[in-house]
Amino acid sequence: MADLNGWIDRDVASVWHGFTQMEAYAGNSPVIVERGEGRELIDIEGNRYLDAISSLWVTTLGHGVPELDQAVRDQLGRVAHTTMLGHGNRIVIELAEALAPRVPVDRPRFLFASDGAAAVEQAIKIAFQYWTNQGVTGRTKYLAFTGAYHGDTIGSLAIGDGGFGTDVFDPLRFPVLRTPCLGEPGAVDEAIRMIAEHAHELAAVVLEPLVQGAAGMALVPADAVAAVARAAADHDVLVIHDEVATGFGRTGTLFATEQCGVQPDLMVIGKGITGGYLPLAATVASQRVWEAFLGPDLSEMTFYHGHSYSGNALGCAVALRHLELLDEWDVLQNVNDRAAQLGRLLAAQIEPLAGVAAVRRCGLMTGIELAPPADGLRWGRKVSAACVERGVLIRPLGDVIVIMPPLTTTAEEIVRIVDALEAAIRLVAAG
Ligand SMILES: *Cc1c(COP(=O)(O)O)cnc(C)c1O
C-alpha cells in the first residue's frame, strides 16, 4: 500500500517518536521508510533519499550490506541471544578479542549494553564503585563540559548539559561540576583548575573527545583532551571518554581518542559498533579499573549491574563482521578522502552564504550553524525539509544542520549533499 497519509495516520495512532512533538509530527512531512539500499532509504511510495545523517549517526557502511546481512544469518543459525550474567557466549568472546587491540584502553575488558546511554550509565557507576571498592569515600562527583550530551537515562542526562527540552528533568539530575567546552578560550586552564581543586570529591571526568556531537559538532582540540588527561592523572581522577558518536571511524581514525594520544580509564562505545544494524554498546574498562572489582565470590567488590540483552549474540556477530569490513574495505581511507572533499565543497559553496554563521567539521562529522536574522524562525527545520524535498535526508540540531554521511559515501554523493544543502539554505534565507 503506497498511501503515504494513511501510513502517517497509522503511525500517529500507535507509535510514539522520541524527541518529536506528536501533535506536529504529521504536519512536518515525515519520511516513512520501507527499505534501505546502500546509502539510500526508500519510502513507502518508492521515493529515494540519501541518508546524510547515517540514521542518526549509527549507519557506517550503508543499509542492506550483504556481508553484514550474512553475519546476522550465520549467527541466527547458532543462537540469537544468551545471557551474559554468570555465563559466556562464543561470539561475544570473539568480538571482545577483536576489539581489544583496537581500542585505546589498557588491557581492556568489555561490559556490553544495548544503548549508548546505558553504557554511559555503566561507566559512571563503575567509576563511583572503583573508589568505594578501595575504601575511598567522598568521590561522588563528576566533572563534565558545557554542551555535553551522554544519552537520556537519568544518570547520563545528569552528566549531560541539558537543552533539547530536557530542562524539565533538571530536578532529577544529580549535581555535576561543569566547565566550558574545551574548544573555548581558557577552557583547558579552567578544567585543570577544577580538577585540582575538586580531586578529593571527583569520581571521574567525562568527556567527548574531538567532537561534542549533540552540541552542534562543537570541536574539542586533541591537545585539550591530552591536557585534561594529564591533570586527571596528576590528581588521581578517572577519565571516561564517551566515543558513542565519534567511535568507529567518523573522525577519520577508528576512535577519536587515538588522535589525542591518551588512554582513558573507561571508554564508552555504541552507535556505529554494529554498522547501524542492531542495538549494541559497551563500556570498556582498563586493567586498573577492572582489578579494583576483583574479590571473593558474592562479595561487595562485584559490579552488581546488568542488562537483559547485554552482549546480544546477533549484535556481536554483526559488530565482529563490521570491524573486519572496516579493514578489508579500507574504509578509513575513504573517510579521509571524502572528508577532505566535503571540507573543500563546504568552503566553496556553504561558508560564503549569508545564511551561514559557522561550519564545524571533524572527519565526516559536520555541523553547519545557520544565521537566522531573528529567533523562532525554525531555520534548521526549514532547511532540513528543503533538503528532504531534494532527496537528501537531514535532521537538524536546532539551527545547526548536521551532515554525517555513511563512511562508504562516494564523491558523487558528497556533491549531491552539498548541492542540495546550498539550494536549501538559499531558499530559506530568501524567505
Ligand atoms: C548518541 C549518544 C549517546 C547515547 O547513545 P544512545 O544509544 O542513543 O543511548 C551517548 N553519548 C554520545 C556522545 C552520543 O552521541
Side-chain angles (χ1 to χ4, degrees), residues 57 207-213 217-218 220 241-257 259 267-272 332 362 365 404 407:
W57 321 354
L207 65 89
E208 298 158 83
L210 293 192
V211 190
Q212 291 189 324
M217 306 301 144
V220 176
H241 278 195
D242 179 348
E243 287 236 30
V244 173
T246 50
F248 296 95
R250 296 270 174 220
T251 68
T253 46
L254 193 60
F255 296 103
T257 300
Q259 297 177 49
M267 195 166 107
V268 185
I269 55 180
K271 287 198 169 106
L332 294 181
C362 178
M365 299 180 78
M404 208 184 292
L407 309 183

PDB file of all heavy atoms in Angstrom, residues 57 207-213 217-218 220 241-257 259 267-272 332 362 365 404 407:
ATOM      1  N   TRP A  57      23.405   8.896  13.075  1.00  0.00           N
ATOM      2  CA  TRP A  57      24.812   8.665  13.397  1.00  0.00           C
ATOM      3  C   TRP A  57      25.178   7.211  13.672  1.00  0.00           C
ATOM      4  O   TRP A  57      26.196   6.936  14.296  1.00  0.00           O
ATOM      5  CB  TRP A  57      25.286   9.543  14.574  1.00  0.00           C
ATOM      6  CG  TRP A  57      24.754  10.945  14.584  1.00  0.00           C
ATOM      7  CD1 TRP A  57      23.990  11.561  13.626  1.00  0.00           C
ATOM      8  CD2 TRP A  57      24.956  11.934  15.607  1.00  0.00           C
ATOM      9  NE1 TRP A  57      23.704  12.858  13.989  1.00  0.00           N
ATOM     10  CE2 TRP A  57      24.280  13.111  15.199  1.00  0.00           C
ATOM     11  CE3 TRP A  57      25.635  11.943  16.813  1.00  0.00           C
ATOM     12  CZ2 TRP A  57      24.272  14.280  15.970  1.00  0.00           C
ATOM     13  CZ3 TRP A  57      25.629  13.103  17.579  1.00  0.00           C
ATOM     14  CH2 TRP A  57      24.950  14.259  17.165  1.00  0.00           C
ATOM     15  N   LEU A 207      34.202  13.104  29.174  1.00  0.00           N
ATOM     16  CA  LEU A 207      34.271  13.996  28.007  1.00  0.00           C
ATOM     17  C   LEU A 207      34.092  13.258  26.684  1.00  0.00           C
ATOM     18  O   LEU A 207      34.304  12.049  26.597  1.00  0.00           O
ATOM     19  CB  LEU A 207      35.596  14.771  28.011  1.00  0.00           C
ATOM     20  CG  LEU A 207      36.908  14.009  27.850  1.00  0.00           C
ATOM     21  CD1 LEU A 207      37.282  13.863  26.373  1.00  0.00           C
ATOM     22  CD2 LEU A 207      38.024  14.763  28.565  1.00  0.00           C
ATOM     23  N   GLU A 208      33.670  14.017  25.683  1.00  0.00           N
ATOM     24  CA  GLU A 208      33.568  13.526  24.307  1.00  0.00           C
ATOM     25  C   GLU A 208      34.815  14.009  23.565  1.00  0.00           C
ATOM     26  O   GLU A 208      34.959  15.212  23.352  1.00  0.00           O
ATOM     27  CB  GLU A 208      32.311  14.094  23.636  1.00  0.00           C
ATOM     28  CG  GLU A 208      31.001  13.695  24.278  1.00  0.00           C
ATOM     29  CD  GLU A 208      29.870  14.663  23.944  1.00  0.00           C
ATOM     30  OE1 GLU A 208      29.253  14.537  22.881  1.00  0.00           O
ATOM     31  OE2 GLU A 208      29.610  15.560  24.773  1.00  0.00           O
ATOM     32  N   PRO A 209      35.743  13.111  23.198  1.00  0.00           N
ATOM     33  CA  PRO A 209      36.971  13.553  22.545  1.00  0.00           C
ATOM     34  C   PRO A 209      36.733  14.044  21.111  1.00  0.00           C
ATOM     35  O   PRO A 209      35.935  13.470  20.372  1.00  0.00           O
ATOM     36  CB  PRO A 209      37.849  12.301  22.556  1.00  0.00           C
ATOM     37  CG  PRO A 209      36.886  11.165  22.634  1.00  0.00           C
ATOM     38  CD  PRO A 209      35.705  11.666  23.407  1.00  0.00           C
ATOM     39  N   LEU A 210      37.388  15.111  20.755  1.00  0.00           N
ATOM     40  CA  LEU A 210      37.397  15.755  19.422  1.00  0.00           C
ATOM     41  C   LEU A 210      36.098  16.447  19.020  1.00  0.00           C
ATOM     42  O   LEU A 210      36.132  17.550  18.482  1.00  0.00           O
ATOM     43  CB  LEU A 210      37.810  14.781  18.300  1.00  0.00           C
ATOM     44  CG  LEU A 210      39.245  14.280  18.318  1.00  0.00           C
ATOM     45  CD1 LEU A 210      39.553  13.584  16.982  1.00  0.00           C
ATOM     46  CD2 LEU A 210      40.267  15.359  18.587  1.00  0.00           C
ATOM     47  N   VAL A 211      34.951  15.799  19.230  1.00  0.00           N
ATOM     48  CA  VAL A 211      33.700  16.426  18.803  1.00  0.00           C
ATOM     49  C   VAL A 211      32.600  16.186  19.829  1.00  0.00           C
ATOM     50  O   VAL A 211      32.336  15.047  20.204  1.00  0.00           O
ATOM     51  CB  VAL A 211      33.193  15.841  17.456  1.00  0.00           C
ATOM     52  CG1 VAL A 211      32.026  16.679  16.924  1.00  0.00           C
ATOM     53  CG2 VAL A 211      34.294  15.753  16.422  1.00  0.00           C
ATOM     54  N   GLN A 212      31.989  17.276  20.306  1.00  0.00           N
ATOM     55  CA  GLN A 212      30.758  17.157  21.086  1.00  0.00           C
ATOM     56  C   GLN A 212      29.621  17.206  20.071  1.00  0.00           C
ATOM     57  O   GLN A 212      29.188  18.281  19.661  1.00  0.00           O
ATOM     58  CB  GLN A 212      30.645  18.301  22.094  1.00  0.00           C
ATOM     59  CG  GLN A 212      31.674  18.223  23.219  1.00  0.00           C
ATOM     60  CD  GLN A 212      31.398  19.245  24.312  1.00  0.00           C
ATOM     61  OE1 GLN A 212      30.957  20.362  24.049  1.00  0.00           O
ATOM     62  NE2 GLN A 212      31.661  18.878  25.539  1.00  0.00           N
ATOM     63  N   GLY A 213      29.169  16.020  19.676  1.00  0.00           N
ATOM     64  CA  GLY A 213      28.226  15.907  18.563  1.00  0.00           C
ATOM     65  C   GLY A 213      26.940  16.664  18.776  1.00  0.00           C
ATOM     66  O   GLY A 213      26.585  17.566  18.009  1.00  0.00           O
ATOM     67  N   MET A 217      28.178  19.744  16.889  1.00  0.00           N
ATOM     68  CA  MET A 217      29.537  19.457  16.395  1.00  0.00           C
ATOM     69  C   MET A 217      30.531  20.501  16.927  1.00  0.00           C
ATOM     70  O   MET A 217      31.321  21.072  16.172  1.00  0.00           O
ATOM     71  CB  MET A 217      29.603  19.400  14.850  1.00  0.00           C
ATOM     72  CG  MET A 217      28.623  18.435  14.230  1.00  0.00           C
ATOM     73  SD  MET A 217      28.854  16.739  14.801  1.00  0.00           S
ATOM     74  CE  MET A 217      27.137  16.206  14.858  1.00  0.00           C
ATOM     75  N   ALA A 218      30.463  20.759  18.243  1.00  0.00           N
ATOM     76  CA  ALA A 218      31.467  21.629  18.873  1.00  0.00           C
ATOM     77  C   ALA A 218      32.797  20.880  18.856  1.00  0.00           C
ATOM     78  O   ALA A 218      32.862  19.718  19.255  1.00  0.00           O
ATOM     79  CB  ALA A 218      31.046  21.951  20.306  1.00  0.00           C
ATOM     80  N   VAL A 220      36.537  19.825  19.894  1.00  0.00           N
ATOM     81  CA  VAL A 220      37.317  19.693  21.123  1.00  0.00           C
ATOM     82  C   VAL A 220      38.746  19.365  20.701  1.00  0.00           C
ATOM     83  O   VAL A 220      39.006  18.282  20.196  1.00  0.00           O
ATOM     84  CB  VAL A 220      36.747  18.551  22.006  1.00  0.00           C
ATOM     85  CG1 VAL A 220      37.605  18.331  23.240  1.00  0.00           C
ATOM     86  CG2 VAL A 220      35.297  18.834  22.381  1.00  0.00           C
ATOM     87  N   HIS A 241      36.020   8.480  28.468  1.00  0.00           N
ATOM     88  CA  HIS A 241      35.796   9.037  27.129  1.00  0.00           C
ATOM     89  C   HIS A 241      34.500   8.459  26.557  1.00  0.00           C
ATOM     90  O   HIS A 241      34.359   7.243  26.452  1.00  0.00           O
ATOM     91  CB  HIS A 241      36.959   8.689  26.189  1.00  0.00           C
ATOM     92  CG  HIS A 241      38.131   9.592  26.344  1.00  0.00           C
ATOM     93  ND1 HIS A 241      39.143   9.670  25.420  1.00  0.00           N
ATOM     94  CD2 HIS A 241      38.440  10.495  27.316  1.00  0.00           C
ATOM     95  CE1 HIS A 241      40.045  10.567  25.823  1.00  0.00           C
ATOM     96  NE2 HIS A 241      39.642  11.071  26.966  1.00  0.00           N
ATOM     97  N   ASP A 242      33.587   9.336  26.207  1.00  0.00           N
ATOM     98  CA  ASP A 242      32.351   8.916  25.554  1.00  0.00           C
ATOM     99  C   ASP A 242      32.582   8.989  24.042  1.00  0.00           C
ATOM    100  O   ASP A 242      32.574  10.073  23.460  1.00  0.00           O
ATOM    101  CB  ASP A 242      31.202   9.834  25.986  1.00  0.00           C
ATOM    102  CG  ASP A 242      29.882   9.455  25.324  1.00  0.00           C
ATOM    103  OD1 ASP A 242      29.891   8.637  24.378  1.00  0.00           O
ATOM    104  OD2 ASP A 242      28.843  10.002  25.745  1.00  0.00           O
ATOM    105  N   GLU A 243      32.810   7.817  23.440  1.00  0.00           N
ATOM    106  CA  GLU A 243      33.032   7.740  21.982  1.00  0.00           C
ATOM    107  C   GLU A 243      31.825   7.137  21.276  1.00  0.00           C
ATOM    108  O   GLU A 243      31.941   6.548  20.201  1.00  0.00           O
ATOM    109  CB  GLU A 243      34.290   6.918  21.682  1.00  0.00           C
ATOM    110  CG  GLU A 243      35.577   7.647  22.018  1.00  0.00           C
ATOM    111  CD  GLU A 243      36.535   7.754  20.831  1.00  0.00           C
ATOM    112  OE1 GLU A 243      36.054   7.798  19.666  1.00  0.00           O
ATOM    113  OE2 GLU A 243      37.754   7.781  21.079  1.00  0.00           O
ATOM    114  N   VAL A 244      30.647   7.298  21.887  1.00  0.00           N
ATOM    115  CA  VAL A 244      29.442   6.726  21.269  1.00  0.00           C
ATOM    116  C   VAL A 244      29.233   7.329  19.875  1.00  0.00           C
ATOM    117  O   VAL A 244      28.914   6.612  18.922  1.00  0.00           O
ATOM    118  CB  VAL A 244      28.208   6.944  22.171  1.00  0.00           C
ATOM    119  CG1 VAL A 244      26.933   6.502  21.459  1.00  0.00           C
ATOM    120  CG2 VAL A 244      28.366   6.176  23.481  1.00  0.00           C
ATOM    121  N   ALA A 245      29.442   8.655  19.750  1.00  0.00           N
ATOM    122  CA  ALA A 245      29.254   9.300  18.445  1.00  0.00           C
ATOM    123  C   ALA A 245      30.522   9.245  17.595  1.00  0.00           C
ATOM    124  O   ALA A 245      30.471   9.004  16.395  1.00  0.00           O
ATOM    125  CB  ALA A 245      28.812  10.751  18.642  1.00  0.00           C
ATOM    126  N   THR A 246      31.683   9.480  18.235  1.00  0.00           N
ATOM    127  CA  THR A 246      32.922   9.631  17.470  1.00  0.00           C
ATOM    128  C   THR A 246      33.557   8.299  17.068  1.00  0.00           C
ATOM    129  O   THR A 246      34.400   8.266  16.172  1.00  0.00           O
ATOM    130  CB  THR A 246      33.955  10.432  18.297  1.00  0.00           C
ATOM    131  OG1 THR A 246      34.046   9.841  19.597  1.00  0.00           O
ATOM    132  CG2 THR A 246      33.564  11.887  18.425  1.00  0.00           C
ATOM    133  N   GLY A 247      33.169   7.217  17.741  1.00  0.00           N
ATOM    134  CA  GLY A 247      33.816   5.927  17.504  1.00  0.00           C
ATOM    135  C   GLY A 247      33.509   5.327  16.146  1.00  0.00           C
ATOM    136  O   GLY A 247      32.609   5.761  15.436  1.00  0.00           O
ATOM    137  N   PHE A 248      34.285   4.334  15.791  1.00  0.00           N
ATOM    138  CA  PHE A 248      34.111   3.566  14.560  1.00  0.00           C
ATOM    139  C   PHE A 248      34.200   4.413  13.290  1.00  0.00           C
ATOM    140  O   PHE A 248      33.399   4.298  12.369  1.00  0.00           O
ATOM    141  CB  PHE A 248      32.829   2.716  14.636  1.00  0.00           C
ATOM    142  CG  PHE A 248      32.948   1.698  15.733  1.00  0.00           C
ATOM    143  CD1 PHE A 248      32.448   1.953  16.993  1.00  0.00           C
ATOM    144  CD2 PHE A 248      33.648   0.516  15.522  1.00  0.00           C
ATOM    145  CE1 PHE A 248      32.640   1.053  18.032  1.00  0.00           C
ATOM    146  CE2 PHE A 248      33.844  -0.389  16.555  1.00  0.00           C
ATOM    147  CZ  PHE A 248      33.342  -0.124  17.813  1.00  0.00           C
ATOM    148  N   GLY A 249      35.230   5.288  13.273  1.00  0.00           N
ATOM    149  CA  GLY A 249      35.653   5.893  12.010  1.00  0.00           C
ATOM    150  C   GLY A 249      35.153   7.264  11.650  1.00  0.00           C
ATOM    151  O   GLY A 249      35.664   7.867  10.710  1.00  0.00           O
ATOM    152  N   ARG A 250      34.179   7.785  12.368  1.00  0.00           N
ATOM    153  CA  ARG A 250      33.564   9.057  11.946  1.00  0.00           C
ATOM    154  C   ARG A 250      34.574  10.203  11.824  1.00  0.00           C
ATOM    155  O   ARG A 250      34.403  11.097  11.008  1.00  0.00           O
ATOM    156  CB  ARG A 250      32.497   9.517  12.942  1.00  0.00           C
ATOM    157  CG  ARG A 250      31.315   8.628  13.062  1.00  0.00           C
ATOM    158  CD  ARG A 250      30.200   8.958  12.102  1.00  0.00           C
ATOM    159  NE  ARG A 250      29.208   7.904  12.271  1.00  0.00           N
ATOM    160  CZ  ARG A 250      28.529   7.349  11.293  1.00  0.00           C
ATOM    161  NH1 ARG A 250      28.667   7.775  10.052  1.00  0.00           N
ATOM    162  NH2 ARG A 250      27.686   6.377  11.520  1.00  0.00           N
ATOM    163  N   THR A 251      35.596  10.215  12.713  1.00  0.00           N
ATOM    164  CA  THR A 251      36.517  11.348  12.719  1.00  0.00           C
ATOM    165  C   THR A 251      37.763  11.090  11.873  1.00  0.00           C
ATOM    166  O   THR A 251      38.669  11.917  11.845  1.00  0.00           O
ATOM    167  CB  THR A 251      36.974  11.707  14.152  1.00  0.00           C
ATOM    168  OG1 THR A 251      37.799  10.638  14.644  1.00  0.00           O
ATOM    169  CG2 THR A 251      35.794  11.901  15.099  1.00  0.00           C
ATOM    170  N   GLY A 252      37.808   9.930  11.206  1.00  0.00           N
ATOM    171  CA  GLY A 252      38.963   9.646  10.351  1.00  0.00           C
ATOM    172  C   GLY A 252      39.897   8.590  10.933  1.00  0.00           C
ATOM    173  O   GLY A 252      40.701   8.005  10.216  1.00  0.00           O
ATOM    174  N   THR A 253      39.823   8.379  12.246  1.00  0.00           N
ATOM    175  CA  THR A 253      40.513   7.242  12.866  1.00  0.00           C
ATOM    176  C   THR A 253      39.446   6.353  13.477  1.00  0.00           C
ATOM    177  O   THR A 253      38.303   6.796  13.656  1.00  0.00           O
ATOM    178  CB  THR A 253      41.490   7.706  13.971  1.00  0.00           C
ATOM    179  OG1 THR A 253      40.826   8.675  14.802  1.00  0.00           O
ATOM    180  CG2 THR A 253      42.742   8.332  13.370  1.00  0.00           C
ATOM    181  N   LEU A 254      39.808   5.108  13.811  1.00  0.00           N
ATOM    182  CA  LEU A 254      38.771   4.216  14.344  1.00  0.00           C
ATOM    183  C   LEU A 254      38.131   4.844  15.577  1.00  0.00           C
ATOM    184  O   LEU A 254      36.910   4.864  15.717  1.00  0.00           O
ATOM    185  CB  LEU A 254      39.365   2.832  14.664  1.00  0.00           C
ATOM    186  CG  LEU A 254      38.332   1.747  14.932  1.00  0.00           C
ATOM    187  CD1 LEU A 254      37.413   1.515  13.734  1.00  0.00           C
ATOM    188  CD2 LEU A 254      39.015   0.442  15.347  1.00  0.00           C
ATOM    189  N   PHE A 255      38.992   5.396  16.475  1.00  0.00           N
ATOM    190  CA  PHE A 255      38.480   6.127  17.635  1.00  0.00           C
ATOM    191  C   PHE A 255      39.140   7.508  17.687  1.00  0.00           C
ATOM    192  O   PHE A 255      40.322   7.650  17.372  1.00  0.00           O
ATOM    193  CB  PHE A 255      38.740   5.343  18.925  1.00  0.00           C
ATOM    194  CG  PHE A 255      37.986   4.039  18.946  1.00  0.00           C
ATOM    195  CD1 PHE A 255      38.649   2.848  18.700  1.00  0.00           C
ATOM    196  CD2 PHE A 255      36.617   4.015  19.152  1.00  0.00           C
ATOM    197  CE1 PHE A 255      37.942   1.643  18.668  1.00  0.00           C
ATOM    198  CE2 PHE A 255      35.914   2.819  19.122  1.00  0.00           C
ATOM    199  CZ  PHE A 255      36.576   1.630  18.874  1.00  0.00           C
ATOM    200  N   ALA A 256      38.354   8.506  18.099  1.00  0.00           N
ATOM    201  CA  ALA A 256      38.869   9.877  18.189  1.00  0.00           C
ATOM    202  C   ALA A 256      40.014   9.953  19.194  1.00  0.00           C
ATOM    203  O   ALA A 256      40.960  10.729  19.015  1.00  0.00           O
ATOM    204  CB  ALA A 256      37.738  10.826  18.598  1.00  0.00           C
ATOM    205  N   THR A 257      39.931   9.143  20.245  1.00  0.00           N
ATOM    206  CA  THR A 257      40.953   9.135  21.305  1.00  0.00           C
ATOM    207  C   THR A 257      42.353   8.905  20.737  1.00  0.00           C
ATOM    208  O   THR A 257      43.330   9.445  21.254  1.00  0.00           O
ATOM    209  CB  THR A 257      40.602   8.037  22.332  1.00  0.00           C
ATOM    210  OG1 THR A 257      39.312   8.323  22.886  1.00  0.00           O
ATOM    211  CG2 THR A 257      41.624   7.944  23.440  1.00  0.00           C
ATOM    212  N   GLN A 259      43.686  10.125  18.194  1.00  0.00           N
ATOM    213  CA  GLN A 259      44.279  11.386  17.743  1.00  0.00           C
ATOM    214  C   GLN A 259      44.719  12.263  18.912  1.00  0.00           C
ATOM    215  O   GLN A 259      45.390  13.267  18.719  1.00  0.00           O
ATOM    216  CB  GLN A 259      43.287  12.156  16.861  1.00  0.00           C
ATOM    217  CG  GLN A 259      42.938  11.411  15.579  1.00  0.00           C
ATOM    218  CD  GLN A 259      41.893  12.145  14.740  1.00  0.00           C
ATOM    219  OE1 GLN A 259      42.024  13.343  14.490  1.00  0.00           O
ATOM    220  NE2 GLN A 259      40.870  11.437  14.296  1.00  0.00           N
ATOM    221  N   MET A 267      36.062   3.823  28.596  1.00  0.00           N
ATOM    222  CA  MET A 267      35.619   4.376  27.319  1.00  0.00           C
ATOM    223  C   MET A 267      34.238   3.795  27.010  1.00  0.00           C
ATOM    224  O   MET A 267      33.956   2.645  27.369  1.00  0.00           O
ATOM    225  CB  MET A 267      36.613   4.000  26.220  1.00  0.00           C
ATOM    226  CG  MET A 267      36.444   4.807  24.968  1.00  0.00           C
ATOM    227  SD  MET A 267      37.884   4.614  23.883  1.00  0.00           S
ATOM    228  CE  MET A 267      37.169   3.588  22.628  1.00  0.00           C
ATOM    229  N   VAL A 268      33.399   4.603  26.388  1.00  0.00           N
ATOM    230  CA  VAL A 268      32.059   4.141  26.042  1.00  0.00           C
ATOM    231  C   VAL A 268      31.914   4.132  24.529  1.00  0.00           C
ATOM    232  O   VAL A 268      32.230   5.121  23.866  1.00  0.00           O
ATOM    233  CB  VAL A 268      30.977   5.045  26.673  1.00  0.00           C
ATOM    234  CG1 VAL A 268      29.594   4.473  26.414  1.00  0.00           C
ATOM    235  CG2 VAL A 268      31.214   5.216  28.168  1.00  0.00           C
ATOM    236  N   ILE A 269      31.473   3.006  23.993  1.00  0.00           N
ATOM    237  CA  ILE A 269      31.283   2.890  22.545  1.00  0.00           C
ATOM    238  C   ILE A 269      29.856   2.411  22.262  1.00  0.00           C
ATOM    239  O   ILE A 269      29.230   1.763  23.107  1.00  0.00           O
ATOM    240  CB  ILE A 269      32.330   1.937  21.905  1.00  0.00           C
ATOM    241  CG1 ILE A 269      32.316   0.555  22.577  1.00  0.00           C
ATOM    242  CG2 ILE A 269      33.722   2.551  21.989  1.00  0.00           C
ATOM    243  CD1 ILE A 269      33.337  -0.437  21.983  1.00  0.00           C
ATOM    244  N   GLY A 270      29.345   2.761  21.102  1.00  0.00           N
ATOM    245  CA  GLY A 270      27.970   2.387  20.755  1.00  0.00           C
ATOM    246  C   GLY A 270      27.717   2.716  19.299  1.00  0.00           C
ATOM    247  O   GLY A 270      28.567   2.462  18.449  1.00  0.00           O
ATOM    248  N   LYS A 271      26.583   3.338  19.041  1.00  0.00           N
ATOM    249  CA  LYS A 271      26.176   3.779  17.702  1.00  0.00           C
ATOM    250  C   LYS A 271      26.760   2.949  16.541  1.00  0.00           C
ATOM    251  O   LYS A 271      26.146   1.985  16.129  1.00  0.00           O
ATOM    252  CB  LYS A 271      26.448   5.266  17.531  1.00  0.00           C
ATOM    253  CG  LYS A 271      25.460   6.120  18.331  1.00  0.00           C
ATOM    254  CD  LYS A 271      25.392   7.565  17.880  1.00  0.00           C
ATOM    255  CE  LYS A 271      24.217   8.276  18.516  1.00  0.00           C
ATOM    256  NZ  LYS A 271      24.574   9.221  19.578  1.00  0.00           N
ATOM    257  N   GLY A 272      27.934   3.312  16.020  1.00  0.00           N
ATOM    258  CA  GLY A 272      28.452   2.642  14.822  1.00  0.00           C
ATOM    259  C   GLY A 272      29.004   1.246  15.054  1.00  0.00           C
ATOM    260  O   GLY A 272      29.437   0.592  14.106  1.00  0.00           O
ATOM    261  N   LEU A 332      38.567   3.660   6.364  1.00  0.00           N
ATOM    262  CA  LEU A 332      39.075   4.914   6.926  1.00  0.00           C
ATOM    263  C   LEU A 332      39.749   5.777   5.865  1.00  0.00           C
ATOM    264  O   LEU A 332      39.712   7.008   5.940  1.00  0.00           O
ATOM    265  CB  LEU A 332      40.026   4.636   8.095  1.00  0.00           C
ATOM    266  CG  LEU A 332      39.359   3.996   9.324  1.00  0.00           C
ATOM    267  CD1 LEU A 332      40.372   3.789  10.443  1.00  0.00           C
ATOM    268  CD2 LEU A 332      38.191   4.837   9.814  1.00  0.00           C
ATOM    269  N   CYS A 362      34.880  17.614  11.672  1.00  0.00           N
ATOM    270  CA  CYS A 362      35.997  16.746  12.038  1.00  0.00           C
ATOM    271  C   CYS A 362      35.721  15.422  11.340  1.00  0.00           C
ATOM    272  O   CYS A 362      34.710  14.772  11.617  1.00  0.00           O
ATOM    273  CB  CYS A 362      36.061  16.573  13.552  1.00  0.00           C
ATOM    274  SG  CYS A 362      37.381  15.459  14.089  1.00  0.00           S
ATOM    275  N   MET A 365      32.079  14.220  10.449  1.00  0.00           N
ATOM    276  CA  MET A 365      31.095  14.798  11.380  1.00  0.00           C
ATOM    277  C   MET A 365      31.054  16.308  11.136  1.00  0.00           C
ATOM    278  O   MET A 365      32.036  17.004  11.377  1.00  0.00           O
ATOM    279  CB  MET A 365      31.492  14.533  12.832  1.00  0.00           C
ATOM    280  CG  MET A 365      31.581  13.066  13.181  1.00  0.00           C
ATOM    281  SD  MET A 365      32.072  12.777  14.925  1.00  0.00           S
ATOM    282  CE  MET A 365      30.519  13.099  15.777  1.00  0.00           C
ATOM    283  N   MET A 404      26.327  14.002   8.308  1.00  0.00           N
ATOM    284  CA  MET A 404      27.147  12.898   8.766  1.00  0.00           C
ATOM    285  C   MET A 404      26.886  11.669   7.887  1.00  0.00           C
ATOM    286  O   MET A 404      26.225  10.734   8.294  1.00  0.00           O
ATOM    287  CB  MET A 404      26.845  12.592  10.230  1.00  0.00           C
ATOM    288  CG  MET A 404      28.035  12.001  10.937  1.00  0.00           C
ATOM    289  SD  MET A 404      27.703  11.533  12.625  1.00  0.00           S
ATOM    290  CE  MET A 404      27.440  13.079  13.451  1.00  0.00           C
ATOM    291  N   LEU A 407      30.191   6.093   6.166  1.00  0.00           N
ATOM    292  CA  LEU A 407      31.640   6.114   5.931  1.00  0.00           C
ATOM    293  C   LEU A 407      32.022   5.657   4.523  1.00  0.00           C
ATOM    294  O   LEU A 407      33.124   5.932   4.057  1.00  0.00           O
ATOM    295  CB  LEU A 407      32.350   5.220   6.959  1.00  0.00           C
ATOM    296  CG  LEU A 407      32.010   5.452   8.433  1.00  0.00           C
ATOM    297  CD1 LEU A 407      32.848   4.546   9.323  1.00  0.00           C
ATOM    298  CD2 LEU A 407      32.183   6.911   8.824  1.00  0.00           C
TER     299      LEU A 407
END
